[in-house]
Amino acid sequence: MTMHETRKAPPKGVPFRPRGRSRVRGLTVVRAVAGMAVFALLLFAWELAGRHDTTGLLPPFSDVAAEMAAILTGERLTTDVLPSVLRALLGFALGSVIGMTAGVVLGWWRRLDPWLRPPVEFLRAVPTPALVPIAVVAFGAGNALRVWVIALGACWPVLLNTMDGLRRVEPGYIDSARVYTSGRTTAVLGRAALPAALPQITSGLRIGLALSLILMVISEMIASSSGLGYLILQSQRLYALTPMYAGVLILACTGWLLTLLFSAAERRALVWFEGMKGRNHA
Amino acid sequence: MPEAIKGRQHDRQATGPAAATLLEARNIAKCFSHPNGTVTPAIGDIALSLAKGEFVAIVGPSGCGKTTLLRCLCGLLKPDSGTLSYAGKPVSDVPEDVAVVFQEYNRSLFPWLSVRRNVEFGLNKLSKTERRARAEEALTRVHLTDVIEHYPWQLSGGMQQRVAIARAVATQPNLLLMDEPFASVDAQTRIRLETMTASISTELGLATLLITHDIDEAVFLADRVIVLSPRPSSVLAEVVVDIPRPRTELEVKAMPRFQEYRRLIHDLIVAKQSDTPDVVDTPAPDGTEPERSP
Ligand SMILES: Nc1ncnc2c1ncn2[C@@H]1O[C@H](COP(=O)(O)OP(=O)(O)OP(=O)(O)O)[C@@H](O)[C@H]1O
Ligand SMILES: [Mg+2]
């Protein structure tokens, strides 16, 4: 007996690939080139403005780029740039773990909600930079301080999105998971609820990553002796404007690179989500 | 027939009244309370039992609480009152060897897993090779081997429903619960799926409980049809379908006996609907908590 469906079935044995890749590829290239062109134009404008600048406030782009290269190849790479990136990543990782753990507890065991919601709402309202002086007292002005400040700031979006994501999981998935795991809570949570909530958890992580970079800079501008934030602030105090701009540029590149990496990982993990959306909107 | 299931070949003769009871429900009742204070009585009072290897269909009008009953029977939902036992033990959570095909297949298959991994979902205790073999065997049964690496949302409704059936069958359950599994497919696919379900449950010796609002489907498939009243539901009648197996669609549906069963059940439902006033939801007495799903 053959079973032919009346609706269109995907061709035999062809697994899923994100739709429309090749059709859209040409367009993507055009867009990328257009974006680069505008970017180059802006840099060129900067270069021109810098060269004709008489106030000494704006060094030309070429100087800043050369300074940036010098920093990235010199010893400041290991004393400032890498430590900064490491702190941001560590803080982000720590904050993500804290956020996800708390988010799971709050989102999954709803009976805890009345007890835990008020303190959570209150703590969330505290702007993280305001915690820096307290953290200095608690951890001293070292790496631990900075990592913890980043973690405490980055954990909120992760926490809230994990909690919300878990609460919105389609009840049908939970029912299925309960049937096919005989109701084991950890299995239902780990194999159904968390994967189902992953798209939302990921948006939390993305915001957390951006916050981590912001908090990294802020934390390095206080009681610090190394890092990109320190480099920028110190250059400004010494009126060394070229290194200052170079620091900002390195920061921008770092943020851009990390976001790019994150997006790539996200795309891989959420192929199903994008595909499903595409199908529903088709 | 694949090697794995040969040993479990089942003899339909055993399903007499003397056969061992697998699932027994007594005086099950369930109300839903809504946040605005009204109470919906979904199940009034239902008693039913299911013997090993028996195929029972439950028919009832839409909204009479069939899905609610199914969720109670498999331990997903706790009834307000009544007792429920499976294989001699009271049901608290979903028993190991019970599989369910849900009414809303597109919300019960996991969209982040491929068809293969969806079918393997309930087989976590087996080794990887065993899992694969079982999944492939189950998917062969429902004729879906060519879409094994696809995602469920890439498939048509009928194909998704077959994946859901394969996922259930792959766990080699003793009890299979199905909630209107063929409601969303066209007539031809539906007949094929019905025939397939009948042969699977005969071959594997599954006790099967099929919820449907299609009287023809119930009579065609079941050894016994339980007719439910409108909400709050109770058992109106049980009709034993005495048609020999294997049954084929065209043959069975041409039998005068088939038509008699049909009319009997139809009249039971219609008579009940016309002579009872519609049930009105009652306002909740103060202090009742609204029902929340799990
Ligand atoms: N989680 C819930 N919360 C509140 N009310 C519910 C809930 N689930 C079901 N009900 C109510 O219980 C009644 C029975 O619903 P149920 O889904 O069991 O009917 P059904 O017989 O399966 O209907 P259908 O044939 O359309 O699938 C309905 O009135 C419905 O509104
Ligand atoms: Mg239903």
Side-chain angles (χ1 to χ4, degrees):
Chain A
M1 180 169 60
T2 55
M3 285 226 169
H4 275 292
E5 295 293 343
T6 44
R7 284 169 64 179
K8 67 164 186 214
K12 254 185 186 252
V14 178
F16 173 70
R17 296 227 168 66
R19 344 172 338 121
R21 267 281 173 87
S22 54
R23 190 164 49 86
V24 174
R25 177 162 286 155
L27 202 65
T28 319
V29 170
V30 169
R31 276 202 197 133
V33 169
M36 295 296 237
V38 172
F39 193 57
L41 214 67
L42 284 174
L43 290 182
F44 185 66
W46 175 4
E47 181 70 24
L48 276 185
R51 281 181 195 241
H52 294 92
D53 175 54
T54 48
T55 59
L57 291 177
L58 187 68
F61 169 66
S62 50
D63 289 6
V64 174
E67 179 69 26
M68 187 173 141
I71 291 174
L72 288 179
T73 52
E75 69 164 6
R76 302 203 86 171
L77 177 70
T78 47
T79 57
D80 291 313
V81 181
L82 288 182
S84 274
V85 174
L86 220 62
R87 283 173 201 145
L89 288 180
L90 264 177
F92 173 57
L94 189 61
S96 301
V97 171
I98 295 172
M100 276 200 249
T101 312
V104 165
V105 171
L106 285 164
W108 191 249
W109 287 280
R110 287 181 208 186
R111 256 170 272 176
L112 296 176
D113 195 78
W115 277 273
L116 296 180
R117 184 170 280 270
V120 166
E121 293 286 345
F122 179 76
L123 285 175
R124 192 188 139 188
V126 180
T128 316
L131 294 178
V132 175
I134 303 175
V136 171
V137 176
F139 302 110
N143 277 328
L145 154 80
R146 288 170 242 288
V147 169
W148 273 104
V149 166
I150 295 166
L152 288 180
C155 79
W156 289 108
V158 182
L159 188 159
L160 296 173
N161 278 284
T162 305
M163 183 177 86
D164 197 48
L166 281 178
R167 288 184 183 181
R168 280 168 198 244
V169 172
E170 171 60 52
Y173 300 157
I174 305 290
D175 274 359
S176 286
R178 283 179 66 193
V179 166
Y180 292 106
T181 62
S182 307
R184 275 179 288 272
T185 306
T186 45
V188 174
L189 181 63
R191 297 179 63 204
L194 282 176
L198 195 62
Q200 200 171 340
I201 296 175
T202 315
S203 8
L205 288 172
R206 174 188 286 283
I207 304 170
L209 181 64
L211 264 179
S212 297
L213 291 170
I214 296 173
L215 287 167
M216 170 196 93
V217 178
I218 291 179
S219 75
E220 285 175 353
M221 287 185 167
I222 295 167
S224 171
S225 56
S226 77
L228 277 170
Y230 170 76
L231 186 150
I232 295 168
L233 192 69
Q234 197 61 16
S235 309
Q236 182 257 319
R237 282 182 184 148
L238 298 173
Y239 218 70
L241 293 192
T242 310
M244 183 184 85
Y245 280 104
V248 175
L249 214 56
I250 293 174
L251 206 55
C253 290
T254 311
W256 178 70
L257 211 70
L258 288 178
T259 313
L260 222 61
L261 282 175
F262 185 88
S263 298
E266 181 181 19
R267 254 200 310 279
R268 277 193 75 120
L270 296 181
V271 166
W272 64 272
F273 188 64
E274 293 303 320
M276 192 166 73
K277 267 197 318 201
R279 166 154 187 170
N280 290 344
H281 294 168
Chain B
M1 186 189 314
E3 203 56 38
I5 50 156
K6 249 184 202 163
R8 297 180 41 175
Q9 265 282 29
H10 170 76
D11 185 4
R12 284 268 166 199
Q13 295 312 112
T15 55
T21 305
L22 188 64
L23 179 72
E24 174 130 53
R26 285 213 196 103
N27 306 106
I28 299 288
K30 180 77 195 175
C31 292
F32 290 106
S33 311
H34 298 281
N36 66 11
T38 56
V39 175
T40 308
I43 304 178
D45 177 8
I46 286 181
L48 60 85
S49 72
L50 195 68
K52 284 192 176 124
E54 193 181 15
F55 199 129
V56 169
I58 295 183
V59 294
S62 183
C64 76
K66 301 183 294 294
T67 299
T68 308
L69 175 64
L70 175 128
R71 296 186 73 228
C72 287
L73 290 179
C74 65
L76 283 173
L77 191 66
K78 203 174 151 34
D80 295 338
S81 60
T83 57
L84 196 60
S85 72
Y86 176 76
K89 294 190 206 83
V91 174
S92 54
D93 216 314
V94 189
E96 290 274 342
D97 55 349
V98 172
V100 182
V101 176
F102 290 95
Q103 184 170 12
E104 290 163 319
Y105 54 86
N106 55 344
R107 297 187 199 165
S108 82
L109 294 174
F110 304 116
W112 59 90
L113 297 178
S114 66
V115 166
R116 178 205 296 285
R117 297 195 158 257
N118 262 288
V119 177
E120 286 178 2
F121 190 87
L123 311 175
N124 223 25
K125 285 186 183 154
L126 304 180
S127 75
K128 193 172 173 177
T129 43
E130 271 181 298
R131 269 208 306 267
R132 295 225 139 186
R134 280 256 205 118
E136 266 157 34
E137 181 200 318
L139 284 165
T140 310
R141 267 180 196 290
V142 297
H143 308 278
L144 273 182
T145 36
D146 52 342
V147 293
I148 208 159
E149 301 301 341
H150 286 68
Y151 285 104
W153 40 264
Q154 293 179 285
L155 310 181
S156 72
M159 293 166 99
Q160 290 182 46
Q161 201 53 276
R162 270 143 64 193
V163 176
I165 294 171
R167 177 172 70 175
V169 171
T171 61
Q172 300 188 347
N174 285 316
L175 173 62
L176 175 62
L177 302 173
M178 303 174 107
D179 192 357
E180 303 193 24
F182 317 125
S184 56
V185 296
D186 62 87
Q188 281 78 42
T189 312
R190 185 186 183 115
I191 291 170
R192 280 201 298 266
L193 288 177
E194 284 171 8
T195 313
M196 186 195 77
T197 305
S199 66
I200 288 176
S201 92
T202 314
E203 267 177 48
L204 302 185
L206 295 179
T208 311
L209 190 81
L210 172 82
I211 287 174
T212 176
H213 53 232
D214 183 330
I215 299 171
D216 288 24
E217 181 174 287
V219 177
F220 172 55
L221 287 173
D223 298 321
R224 188 153 55 94
V225 180
I226 296 176
V227 185
L228 296 186
S229 69
R231 194 164 61 82
S233 49
S234 57
V235 177
L236 276 183
E238 289 193 22
V239 178
V240 176
V241 180
D242 189 14
I243 298 176
R245 289 177 193 273
R247 303 173 183 171
T248 48
E249 184 86 13
L250 284 177
E251 261 174 50
V252 168
K253 292 197 173 167
M255 284 182 182
R257 219 182 323 166
F258 176 82
Q259 299 300 335
E260 278 166 34
Y261 285 127
R262 258 188 83 188
R263 185 154 319 122
L264 176 65
I265 294 167
H266 178 262
D267 290 349
L268 277 167
I269 293 176
V270 171
K272 190 65 188 178
Q273 260 170 344
S274 55
D275 72 18
T276 47
D278 267 359
V279 186
V280 184
D281 292 344
T282 49
D286 274 359
T288 40
E289 273 287 300
E291 172 77 19
R292 292 256 176 102
S293 43

